[in-house]
Amino acid sequence: MNDYTESWKKVSNLMEKKFLPESALKEVENIYAQAKKEKNDAQQIKALVYMGQLMESTQEDARPKYIQLLDKEIKTAKQPALSLLYSLKASAYWIYLQEHRWELYERTQTIEKGTDIKTWTAADLHAEITKNYLASLKDKKALELAKLNTFEPVIIKGNQRNLRPSLYDLTAHAALAYFTNNERDLQKHAASFEIIDPEAFSSAEIFTKHKFKITDSSSLYAQALLLYQDLIRFHLSDKNPEALIDLDLGRLQYIHEHAVIEDKNDLYVKSLSDIYNRYSSIPASAQAAFLKASHELENARIDENNFNKTKSRDVLPKIKKDCEEVVLKFPESEGGLNCKRLLQQLDKKDLSLEMEKVNLPNQPMRCLVGFKNIAAVYYRIIPVTETIESSFTDRWTNKYWSFLKDQKYGKEFKQVLPQTADLRNHTAEIKIDGLAPGRYVLLASGDQSFSISNNPLSAQYFYVSQIAYINRGKDYFVLNRESGKP
């Protein structure tokens, strides 16, 4: 039997060349015909996927024609290829809806939708997408028993193959991508399904057995919930729980985003903690710890106004400690790598300056310093020369900072800041000694060397002048800035 390697190589070469999509389509049609003759389902479906892409760039009304082609195949296909074809058809309808979204949502519903999808409403398309995705999952047993290696040509392998160990997983996740999309529910009616049951946050075993009250079976929320139940139930007895953990975390994230439950934040955090503690020796559990930490970090930023409360002061150091534990335990896991990035955010040094644009000569000035994770700030006051003014239009790049720190400065000083260990942004007001009239830049650094790598730098341009002005239209009045006299 033909292994199709050379044929696909030829298609690849043709697709890389800008003006040969029609030649590539012809070649794919030949592969399709040969695969159909040999009853090679995997190659046939791969050819159909490519045909959909190439028809789009070579034919008018390509999407409806492609759907007709899939319909023709569905009439004679057998499992598990049949399920994959239904999935492809649902995906084609979804893409068509996304391409024509705005014109579709303006159409009014008709009594009979007809056969021409160009006359359908958004609701018609959503109903058809749902119907085909459900059809793709109808023969669950056939998908569970199918050998993945048989369909190797149509599988995007990724780096976590163990999380999608069966054809049922792959097909179900394709459906989940649509069901967890809330576009259809933008046009809700009074009886639309809402996730209001706290059991949605329960453990995997309880969740799969729970009977949710569903008043609107057309709701994508309802379909997503039911599919999560079925997928998790399928993986409950897995020897390796990584696929189960991945699914359960996806379920909890989805429920947390869409649930209408008063204490859903507490339920979400508890469920994530339970997964991490239950599977504490499994690397996949690290993602649960990361999701919990990132959720707590987001809430800590929202609750910034409650900073004076002792509990709020301790939140970020605790998040940091939890993340460090995960990184130490599972450094190369998804959750471990995510925690590393979160730690970088928490440990990042920040520095900002804010002061009056114009200040009085020879009088002390005030500057508001914003800082995070910095013990002391080093300052230079640089007179602004024509060279500084004209040399850089593209400010705030490394080249700019390197140029600025090398300029001749008139004064330098150091300011020790209040010691903080809460990993939050703080502000402090500092005094700057009086200066002669002129234009200056206050350059600040988190270290004495004014390094431009791994060190925050900040600059504030300001004037020192006795002069002020006000204007009314084209009339300008020059005043003494201190006394207000002409």
Side-chain angles (χ1 to χ4, degrees), residues 129-148:
I129 297 165
T130 302
K131 184 178 86 173
N132 280 278
Y133 272 129
L134 291 175
S136 75
L137 299 168
K138 192 174 181 181
D139 196 344
K140 179 183 166 186
K141 203 69 183 172
L143 293 169
E144 289 174 2
L145 295 173
K147 293 180 179 178
L148 270 185

Side-chain angles (χ1 to χ4, degrees), residues 179-180 220-221 224 228 250-258:
F179 292 149
T180 54
L220 298 191
Y221 291 177
Y228 267 123
R251 182 257 301 195
L252 291 172
Q253 287 175 272
Y254 177 71
I255 300 293
H256 178 252
E257 184 181 353
H258 296 286

Side-chain angles (χ1 to χ4, degrees), residues 40 200 203 224 252 380 402 423 451:
N40 188 327
S203 68
L252 291 172
R380 290 175 181 175
S402 183
L423 306 173
S451 168

